[in-house]
Amino acid sequence: MGKENDTDNSKKRRKSISTSTITWLKDGDMYKTIITNEEKEALDRSPESDSQCFLTTCENIRKAMSKIAKLKASSDPNAEDEVHELQIQTSLAFIELKKLNRMEKFRTKFARDSLVTAKSSVDSKHLHLQNLLYEVMHLKKEVIKCLQFKSKDELIQLVSEEEFYKEAPESICRPEITKINPHQLRLARLEWELTQRKQLAALCDELTESKKAVTVDMESKQTRLDNLAPQLLTILEASKPLQESLGLPLDKVRQEHQKAALLASPLYVLYAKATAYRDAYDNTLIIKVEGDEDEAKRTNNQDGLQESDSDPETQLENIVEETPVHKKRHHRLSREARQEEKRLKLLQRHPLNVTLVISLKNETKLTLQFFYMIHLKVVTVESKLETDVSGGISAGDMLVSESVLRELYPNDLGIESPNPANHYQLARHNLGLFSTLGLGIPYRWAQRMAGLHFISANPHDQKLTVQESTQDSVVSVLKEIKRRVKARLELCREIRRLESGNLPIFVNTIDPLPQKITTILHKFTTMTWKNYANYANVPICREGLVSAVDIFYEAVLRRGSSELIARIAIKPDYPKVAALFSISISPMVPASADILRDIEREVNVMWTKPPTISAQLQRLRACFDIYLETESMAPKEKIFFHPVKGRTRARPYKYLTLGGGIFTHR
């Protein structure tokens, strides 16, 4: 009965529980409800108490597990029930741990959600702060713009206040208001400025109309002039026979001037100066402009005559490329061709040149052709001397024009270019010295005639250049050229006489010379610089008194069996600079170095003015006679009182025209 009652009661309880459960589930989702309750419980419970509960539960689990292990190890038959009870308690403890874990998870989730909410709030407030700062910055910029704003009236340059009150009418200036109100003063000044500008605009329009009227008048007159041009050409063409009859080559001069306008600037300067010199001093001077006019026009139209220093080909020379042999050779040949083209361009002349023909007596003409190097920027000269004067066998190259013009001024040999930049330009293209290029001779006097001036590396030459540039270069140079040509022609005549052994008779000269001389001129021949350097006195060559550009001769004097040899160096500027004698006596005649030095000093130095070679030879003959007679090596024919004098045993070489002529010591 008891069991049946228990069974009925349990059935009733299950029925009631199931009924209540079904009723409760209808109110909502059980899982969500549990979650909500646990979240609420997790927030209500203290984390510290849960932590303490967690530690206590873990300790209980350890103790239960240890006790279970001991009971299983024992052989007590009643231990099974106790083990079962301990297992149940341990399982409940694990359930408690799971609950504590869920509580902690809920707390962590809530903390994270709170953190996210706080961060979102902070970000929102920070963004709002940034917006406010940007707005403040924008407002500051606007304020600065407003403060820096300038009205257009500030750009107008107004008249001063004093001038405004002085010139403006009373209706505009209104001094009773403007003097106490700056704003009204500004407005009044602007109004006065506007009034003045309107007046000036009206005046400008009036002047523009007047200008148009003048322009129309000028165009009408220009049209009349244009119509007159063909008629004038017809008149000029018809007047050509009259011009030829009167010797007025007007057309030729006009054409020459038109052609000269195409010259390079330095050559045009030279042409203008030479033309002025011809018209003022020398009508025999012929000036011509030669060359291709069309090519000159093309050359003048080119932009940038000087080649750029930046050369990419030079940079590529050091790059080693591993290419086939035939390609490398082809590239090298192509580059060499370009280098050759650059060399030719560097040495290019202007198509037009200026030719001067200087006429002298005896049908002597010196032709000078002046060329301008476009890229080297120097003027070169090619010359030719035409004369009927013969210099004889020993004249050598004295009548060659280059020899005549050599060292027309001191140290102006024309071997190197006077432009210092040319040295680097030629070295860059491996062209060697300027004198080896066959472009003419770049004399410094030619540069001065063309108006070109360069800095010289030698301060002495620079000082001379400055002194010469102060003079009229064309006048001085042409006079010097004429003097040099005349002197060279006279030298040739003198050389021809000396070759034949005919010495002139010297009378009424500043430096007296004896006429009765026994020593004769046996031979007079030319010699080379190499032979002269081998035989001449070493100090003469070492001191630079002679150089390879001089002209050298050898004269042999004889008296009986005694012989004296004179080696003569003639400077290019002879006779302004006397010839230099270096002597030696045959071994048969005893002569010390002092004797030779005294004779050389007498012949080279002891003159009042520069002597001629004939005069020097005449004195040398007299000195040789005196030496032989004082040494008793020849009969005494000259009158002298003492054969030697002083410690150096000097001879009486000085000639005086007293009585029949006597020789004394100096």
Side-chain angles (χ1 to χ4, degrees), residues 314 339 343 346-347 376 420-434 437:
T314 306
Q339 290 291 341
R343 292 190 187 99
L346 181 66
L347 304 180
L376 297 179
N422 293 164
H423 172 74
Y424 301 99
Q425 290 174 309
L426 298 178
R428 178 187 175 193
H429 294 280
N430 300 321
L431 290 174
L433 296 176
F434 193 98
L437 301 177

Side-chain angles (χ1 to χ4, degrees), residues 465-478:
T465 303
V466 172
Q467 293 176 354
E468 293 165 357
S469 63
T470 58
Q471 304 173 358
D472 189 343
S473 57
V474 173
V475 176
S476 60
V477 169
L478 292 181

Side-chain angles (χ1 to χ4, degrees), residues 319-351:
I319 299 178
V320 180
E321 298 179 352
E322 296 182 358
T323 55
V325 177
H326 65 280
K327 290 186 178 180
K328 188 173 182 180
R329 288 180 179 175
H330 177 73
H331 177 70
R332 182 179 299 172
L333 290 175
S334 176
R335 186 170 62 187
E336 289 177 356
R338 288 195 295 271
Q339 290 291 341
E340 184 64 24
E341 183 180 356
K342 290 180 181 179
R343 292 190 187 99
L344 294 176
K345 187 176 181 181
L346 181 66
L347 304 180
Q348 182 183 0
R349 286 175 170 177
H350 194 275

Side-chain angles (χ1 to χ4, degrees), residues 320-384:
V320 180
E321 298 179 352
E322 296 182 358
T323 55
V325 177
H326 65 280
K327 290 186 178 180
K328 188 173 182 180
R329 288 180 179 175
H330 177 73
H331 177 70
R332 182 179 299 172
L333 290 175
S334 176
R335 186 170 62 187
E336 289 177 356
R338 288 195 295 271
Q339 290 291 341
E340 184 64 24
E341 183 180 356
K342 290 180 181 179
R343 292 190 187 99
L344 294 176
K345 187 176 181 181
L346 181 66
L347 304 180
Q348 182 183 0
R349 286 175 170 177
H350 194 275
L352 296 181
N353 64 83
V354 177
T355 301
L356 303 183
V357 180
I358 303 173
S359 301
L360 300 172
K361 296 179 180 179
N362 300 326
E363 300 298 327
T364 300
K365 292 183 180 180
L366 177 63
T367 303
L368 301 176
Q369 284 185 300
F370 295 87
F371 299 90
Y372 180 67
M373 310 304 298
I374 298 176
H375 298 282
L376 297 179
K377 298 189 181 303
V378 293
V379 174
T380 60
V381 181
E382 291 184 0
S383 57
K384 182 180 180 182

Side-chain angles (χ1 to χ4, degrees), residues 36 64 85 116 121 178 282 316 332 343 352 402 431 454 461 505 584 592 608 620 622 635-636:
T36 303
E85 185 66 25
V116 170
S121 177
T178 56
D282 188 2
L316 296 176
R332 182 179 299 172
R343 292 190 187 99
L352 296 181
E402 287 78 7
L431 290 174
F454 302 102
D461 294 344
I505 299 175
S584 62
S592 63
T608 305
L620 181 60
K636 182 179 179 181

Side-chain angles (χ1 to χ4, degrees), residues 610-624:
T612 62
I613 298 176
S614 300
Q616 288 177 291
L617 283 173
Q618 186 78 352
R619 179 172 287 184
L620 181 60
R621 292 168 59 203
C623 291
F624 192 50

Side-chain angles (χ1 to χ4, degrees), residues 139-149:
L139 292 175
K140 286 183 178 180
K141 289 183 178 179
E142 293 297 326
V143 170
I144 292 173
K145 287 183 180 179
C146 293
L147 294 176
Q148 293 180 348
F149 176 76

